[in-house]
Amino acid sequence: MFTVQGGEDETIRFKVYPEYFKITSKGAMDMLEKMPAEDSLINNIKFVPSEFTLQNGRIQKVRLTVSDFDKLPDGESRLVLFLEDVAAKEVILPYQNKDVTTKLLVKTRVGIPVYLDKGHVIKKGEIELFKAEQQGENLFAI
């Protein structure tokens, strides 16, 4: 279960949906929503509610249930649950030419990664050297 809360003076409608992902060599999420994978939790997870409206800072709990746990492969299974703002926001970009208008439709979403380990799983990590590089607004390990 996780909790979602909106701002005090806002009304926002969210839809919740899952997508499967793998981690790239640079540590980013590579979304593979249509790809069947043995370690995907998409067919095993249920969440309630799948759509809800938040008003005036109220809290909404989203409950998760994993089914057929015994049929999952040993090791790690995963997905990311996205909460997406249903209403697209329009942003008008300024432009010097008065006869041209640029309008962007912006959709906002937040992803919550869900990992499930089954069986006797030992995870060990060691970092000998860590370097990061900024590419645009994103920071990547190199």
Side-chain angles (χ1 to χ4, degrees), residues 37-107:
E38 200 174 276
D39 59 349
S40 172
L41 279 174
I42 287 182
N43 293 326
N44 299 81
I45 196 160
K46 294 180 181 23
F47 46 91
V48 176
S50 61
E51 206 165 305
F52 56 90
T53 301
L54 295 176
Q55 292 179 312
N56 303 324
R58 292 211 173 110
I59 292 174
Q60 174 68 52
K61 293 181 186 226
V62 179
R63 288 172 172 62
L64 306 172
T65 304
V66 177
S67 62
D68 294 329
F69 179 80
D70 57 330
K71 295 179 184 171
L72 290 173
D74 282 351
E76 179 183 275
S77 297
R78 66 186 164 280
L79 62 74
V80 61
L81 272 182
F82 281 109
L83 285 88
E84 184 175 292
D85 186 351
V86 172
K89 293 178 179 52
E90 290 186 2
V91 178
I92 305 295
L93 298 177
Y95 191 68
Q96 295 168 346
N97 186 340
K98 294 179 182 174
D99 296 330
V100 176
T101 303
T102 304
K103 176 172 66 171
L104 294 177
L105 292 175
V106 179
K107 294 280 267 184

